[in-house]
Amino acid sequence: MLLVSRRSVRRTVISVAIALVSIVGTPRLARSQENATQVTAAQAADSGARLERERKWRDAIDLYKHALESWPEDPNLKYGLRRAQFQFGIDRRYSDQSFLTTLRPMSRDAALAAFDEILGHIRAHFVDSIDTTSIVAHGTESLWLALRNERFVEQNLFGADQGRIDAFRDTLRERYWNKPVSSDVDARRVISEVCDLGRKSLGLEAGPIVQEYVFGACNCLDDYSNVLTPGRLNDLYSNIEGEFVGIGIVMEAELGKGMKLVQVLPESPAHEKGLRAGDVIVGIDGRDCRFMSTDEAAGLLTGKANSQVRLEVTGPAGRREASVTRREVQVKSIPVAKIIDSQNGVGYIQMTGFQKSSAVELDEALNKLEREGMKALIWDVRGNPGGLLTAAVEVLDRFIDKGTLVETRGRTYDQNYTYTAHAPGTHNVPIILLIDGSSASASEIVAGAIRDHHRGKIVGRKSYGKWSVQSIYDLRTGGGVRLTTAKFYSPNGDTLGKIGVKPDVEITVEKGFSRAIGEVDAARDPDIAKAIELIRTDSALTRR
């Protein structure tokens, strides 16, 4: 996601996803790509549907996305992806305590007021014009899908007759599917009709019905626009600030196995207790979490500072228990800054996000490396999903002395801006920039500027391809709405959404290759090895 500015009711961000409570949700490379075999589109659709039946929404999404690379116009794959994404969103809402306690119980009038507020923000700020019929239709579709979602039904219709639920779904499709809506008043009327019908047919309260229209409103927008529950909004802001209370892990549910630790933050409570990437949490405070969603487990891991959580963990050392004390965790955007080749003066900076502290951290890192004899820099933004637009501009300004750094263009005048470099404070060190398929948004602003200004070589793999700006608007419900409000353009005027930045030197990595935050192994990392080779041999890589 890419955040641009902070105002009383709006903050603007650029990154693919912002990590929450236990830091989950970075850009995912389709795992199905690693296991690809020669299949037909129909077989791929069948495999996706099977994963959906097993409620493995993330795996289904990955599979559909990868299959669509081969069959981009296949209608079954396209709708399968859409269906899995929506069901994943419903599952997440109904695993979120802030939604369950604050939003789900709202009265009809309060929930409709929230819908009106969302509608107003979409009309005023979204990068493209969207008609009200589409917004309401997507809410109807979200409700129709929710009526087949186990979590929704358990919370709102426990014990209800399945035949009556199916009949209500049929009515939604027959009477309200793409029903023309001419105005805000008309939108309220249609949603109220559905509420009356749901109450009469199933005894379904109005609050859960309207919330599907609230959250479904963004389903007709792009992949990066969505409504945020109060809990997710608070976690988002904590991530922007670079601090949160927790144990400091990035985890992902593997159904039947537990919570796999994707990353363990350096100097975090989890790291201090010996947890490492690749370990799997199977129990939290005596509760089996092997069949939980990531959000359910994250809820159990959340707690006040100085409270303890008892974990059962499996890993290379076998099964063990660890009591971890929650505390404030400072998330550094630069966990590593060191000389990795003293003979050639090669410095290395690992940047994992763009947050408020990034420019200050970068200044400290550069000063340290220059004192230690740095003559060339490897700047690593692999796996970096983005963050604050202003942070991306500030760090670029340390390396480029003049000209455009990035330009944003949106539907409203306040989204159109050109950011330029300044000569004072520029570091002239030669640069190798490392990128990969998870380098997104703010990382791509950096890559685009480095490329267009011929400021250094880019090594690795093609970047993610997210070249849009999101703004965060606070809502009266305590939650927020994240909307794409602009696209960004490189100094040469390129916008590479769904394309990405191609490296100057492309490196193929072996299946299963991974890196840990806060660690660097130049000997075993093919990207770093190539970067060092270029620094040693490429005469064109000179100071600026």
Side-chain angles (χ1 to χ4, degrees):
M1 180 189 333
L2 199 145
L3 295 177
V4 182
S5 62
R6 178 172 177 168
R7 304 181 181 176
S8 58
V9 294
R10 192 192 90 183
R11 313 183 192 193
T12 310
V13 184
I14 45 175
S15 79
V16 172
I18 291 291
L20 306 180
V21 181
S22 48
I23 316 187
V24 289
T26 53
R28 291 161 53 87
L29 297 178
R31 288 179 306 214
S32 54
Q33 186 171 0
E34 298 176 353
N35 303 316
T37 56
Q38 294 298 318
V39 297
T40 66
Q43 288 171 325
D46 287 343
S47 296
R50 175 181 54 78
L51 290 170
E52 289 185 73
R53 288 193 295 272
E54 296 171 357
R55 292 176 58 185
K56 295 181 179 178
W57 309 121
R58 295 289 294 267
D59 290 341
I61 290 168
D62 283 351
L63 187 149
Y64 286 130
K65 283 184 175 180
H66 178 57
L68 282 166
E69 293 176 4
S70 299
W71 303 284
E73 299 305 319
D74 186 274
N76 292 324
L77 292 172
K78 289 169 74 172
Y79 188 64
L81 173 61
R82 177 187 185 82
R83 186 175 58 227
Q85 287 174 325
F86 292 177
Q87 289 286 11
F88 177 61
I90 295 165
D91 249 25
R92 294 196 77 183
R93 286 199 288 282
Y94 278 86
S95 299
D96 186 325
Q97 285 302 309
S98 68
F99 173 82
L100 293 173
T101 58
T102 304
L103 303 182
R104 176 179 165 271
M106 289 174 72
S107 67
R108 179 189 297 199
D109 288 344
L112 284 170
F115 175 80
D116 290 341
E117 192 176 8
I118 296 286
L119 190 60
H121 282 304
I122 292 173
R123 284 219 185 105
H125 305 297
F126 186 66
V127 67
D128 298 316
S129 180
I130 304 292
D131 67 271
T132 308
T133 294
S134 180
I135 293 171
V136 174
H138 282 78
T140 301
E141 182 185 27
S142 185
L143 176 60
W144 184 78
L145 288 168
L147 290 163
R148 279 289 179 89
N149 183 281
E150 290 182 20
R151 295 184 189 278
F152 181 93
V153 172
E154 287 172 4
Q155 285 284 340
N156 302 305
L157 293 167
F158 185 76
D161 179 73
Q162 187 60 50
R164 296 177 69 180
I165 294 175
D166 291 342
F168 181 46
R169 294 181 83 240
D170 290 342
T171 301
L172 288 175
R173 180 173 278 281
E174 292 164 4
R175 291 171 50 182
Y176 296 97
W177 216 251
N178 294 319
K179 184 180 178 69
V181 177
S182 59
S183 65
D184 291 5
V185 173
D186 204 18
R188 267 182 164 257
R189 179 187 59 78
V190 169
I191 297 171
S192 290
E193 277 185 21
V194 174
C195 289
D196 291 338
L197 185 62
R199 180 72 174 178
K200 181 179 179 180
S201 303
L202 299 170
L204 182 57
E205 296 292 338
I209 291 176
V210 181
Q211 290 302 335
E212 291 309 310
Y213 284 89
V214 168
F215 283 83
C218 288
N219 288 349
C220 65
L221 308 182
D222 63 358
D223 290 341
Y224 310 110
S225 299
N226 62 309
V227 179
L228 302 166
T229 65
R232 296 198 185 285
L233 181 67
N234 289 335
D235 290 333
L236 170 59
Y237 287 156
S238 293
N239 205 59
I240 293 168
E241 298 291 339
E243 58 184 38
F244 66 96
V245 172
I247 64 172
I249 59 173
V250 181
M251 68 182 187
E252 182 176 69
E254 292 193 349
L255 193 64
K257 296 181 180 179
M259 301 296 131
K260 183 177 181 179
L261 302 189
V262 180
Q263 297 284 2
V264 178
L265 298 184
E267 302 176 14
S268 67
H271 190 272
E272 291 167 359
K273 288 292 184 178
L275 275 67
R276 296 292 183 266
D279 288 347
V280 178
I281 298 174
V282 296
I284 303 172
D285 282 334
R287 294 185 59 179
D288 188 338
C289 67
R290 290 175 298 173
F291 293 90
M292 290 183 182
S293 68
T294 305
D295 294 310
E296 284 178 302
L300 295 178
L301 290 170
T302 303
K304 295 181 179 180
N306 300 317
S307 63
Q308 282 200 336
V309 59
R310 182 167 52 85
L311 306 177
E312 293 179 63
V313 183
T314 63
R319 193 177 184 117
R320 66 190 190 281
E321 288 194 1
S323 291
V324 186
T325 301
R326 303 176 181 96
R327 60 171 168 79
E328 187 173 279
V329 178
Q330 299 292 330
V331 183
K332 295 180 180 179
S333 59
I334 299 179
V336 180
K338 61 188 295 186
I339 298 292
I340 58 173
D341 180 350
S342 57
Q343 182 176 352
N344 294 281
V346 179
Y348 171 84
I349 287 176
Q350 183 183 97
M351 184 173 282
T352 58
F354 293 85
Q355 58 197 43
K356 282 188 172 183
S357 63
S358 294
V360 172
E361 289 184 50
L362 180 61
D363 288 338
E364 293 173 351
L366 290 172
N367 290 336
K368 169 182 175 291
L369 294 175
E370 286 172 350
R371 288 194 305 270
E372 295 173 355
M374 177 176 67
K375 298 177 182 178
L377 173 66
I378 298 173
W379 185 4
D380 190 350
V381 294
R382 292 174 297 174
N384 184 327
L388 290 167
L389 170 58
T390 50
V393 170
E394 288 170 354
V395 299
L396 270 174
D397 204 12
R398 269 59 175 175
F399 299 110
I400 296 172
D401 59 0
K402 61 183 178 180
T404 297
L405 297 175
V406 65
E407 180 182 358
T408 62
R409 302 176 198 169
R411 188 159 60 92
T412 58
Y413 75 93
D414 63 332
Q415 293 291 333
N416 301 314
Y417 196 81
T418 299
Y419 296 85
T420 56
H422 307 86
T426 302
H427 295 260
N428 295 315
V429 62
I431 295 171
I432 299 286
L433 183 73
L434 304 184
I435 64 172
D436 65 9
S438 295
S439 303
S441 213
S443 294
E444 295 177 289
I445 286 180
V446 167
I450 294 293
R451 180 197 66 180
D452 290 358
H453 282 279
H454 306 288
R455 184 60 184 85
K457 294 280 188 181
I458 302 176
V459 172
R461 287 151 298 288
K462 188 171 68 172
S463 66
Y464 187 83
K466 182 194 171 295
W467 284 58
S468 59
V469 179
Q470 281 69 47
S471 296
I472 310 299
Y473 299 92
D474 295 345
L475 302 175
R476 288 189 292 269
T477 60
V481 58
R482 172 169 50 196
L483 296 175
T484 295
T485 51
K487 295 178 181 179
F488 63 82
Y489 295 77
S490 76
N492 285 351
D494 296 325
T495 184
L496 302 175
K498 298 185 178 180
I499 298 173
V501 178
K502 186 178 180 179
D504 298 306
V505 181
E506 189 160 0
I507 305 296
T508 301
V509 294
E510 294 181 1
K511 177 181 175 180
F513 171 74
S514 64
R515 305 172 302 111
I517 291 176
E519 298 178 10
V520 55
D521 187 342
R524 297 184 179 181
D525 189 318
D527 297 329
I528 294 178
K530 186 63 178 181
I532 292 174
E533 178 189 331
L534 289 172
I535 290 169
R536 291 172 176 170
T537 61
D538 192 342
S539 60
L541 192 66
T542 58
R543 290 179 179 270
R544 287 290 300 266

